[in-house]
């Protein structure tokens, strides 16, 4: 995995990776960003990267909209490796804002009986590289098994 060093910067954890709905290779997955502040945040210039098991790769996803105060943005993504999961967000100045995963297997989320359960961030924001800060969406009879676009369980 890539070494992660957090530095205080403009935007540090003001935008977090809040939820990942991971699907099998070749299928579209979803990533949810959350604005943790009481102010709208412009995402112009934000860069997302992923770890491929060896190096950091630009995901070619450049959101150009804003996220409302305490709001969410769901992004469709194609290229996630659940065995080497690490996603990073950088602000327009290249400062690291947040990280999800440590470059190893996904911390949470699962497939059960053909149903996908998302990997969700705990309510209290913590380091995204720690498995202690993630959980699997509740396993129940309702579907879908995620909270994309809204608060986690």
């Amino acid at each position: 995995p890539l070494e992660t060093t957090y530095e205080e910067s403009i935007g540090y954890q003001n935008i977090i990776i809040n939820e990942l709905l991971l699907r099998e290779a070749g299928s579209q997955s979803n990533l949810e960003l959350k604005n943790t502040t009481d102010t709208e945040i412009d995402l112009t210039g934000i860069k997302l990267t992923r770890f491929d098991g060896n190096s950091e790769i630009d995901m070619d996803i450049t959101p150009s909209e804003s996220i409302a105060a305490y709001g969410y943005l769901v992004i469709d993504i194609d290229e996630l490796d659940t065995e080497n999961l690490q996603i990073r967000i950088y602000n327009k100045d290249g400062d690291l804002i947040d990280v999800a995963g440590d470059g190893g297997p996904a911390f949470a989320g699962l497939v059960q009986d053909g149903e996908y359960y998302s990997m969700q961030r705990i309510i209290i924001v913590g380091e995204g590289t720690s498995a202690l800060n993630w959980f699997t969406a509740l396993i129940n009879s309702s579907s879908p098994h995620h909270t994309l676009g809204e608060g986690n369980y």
Side-chain angles (χ1 to χ4, degrees), residues 14-93:
N14 288 346
I15 298 291
I16 62 166
I17 300 166
N18 192 54
E19 184 172 4
L20 293 164
L21 184 57
L22 305 167
R23 295 189 176 94
E24 71 271 357
S27 295
Q28 192 171 66
S29 293
N30 304 100
L31 176 148
E32 178 187 78
L33 301 179
K34 178 182 178 180
N35 178 348
T36 63
T37 74
D38 62 359
T39 306
E40 180 177 276
I41 295 180
D42 181 3
L43 296 179
T44 302
I46 294 286
K47 180 173 112 173
L48 293 160
T49 67
R50 66 179 174 82
F51 182 64
D52 73 352
N54 295 308
S55 59
E56 186 175 20
I57 298 172
D58 190 337
M59 292 175 68
D60 281 333
I61 297 171
T62 51
S64 58
E65 58 253 53
S66 296
I67 299 181
Y70 302 113
Y72 303 89
L73 175 67
V74 177
I75 300 171
D76 297 330
I77 48 179
D78 295 324
E79 312 163 355
L80 283 184
D81 178 355
T82 60
E83 294 304 311
N84 297 293
L85 184 66
Q86 186 174 75
I87 300 172
R88 293 172 169 225
I89 309 172
Y90 295 92
N91 67 17
K92 63 183 175 186
D93 298 322

Side-chain angles (χ1 to χ4, degrees), residues 3 6 24 29 39 48 71 81 84-85 87 92 104 117 119 124 128 139 141 143 146 153:
E3 181 180 330
Y6 286 95
E24 71 271 357
S29 293
T39 306
L48 293 160
D81 178 355
N84 297 293
L85 184 66
I87 300 172
K92 63 183 175 186
Y117 295 79
M119 175 175 147
I124 300 169
I139 298 176
S141 59
S143 185
H146 62 79
Y153 297 120

Side-chain angles (χ1 to χ4, degrees), residues 124-137:
I124 300 169
V125 177
E127 298 289 335
T129 56
S130 171
L132 298 174
N133 293 318
W134 296 94
F135 66 97
T136 298

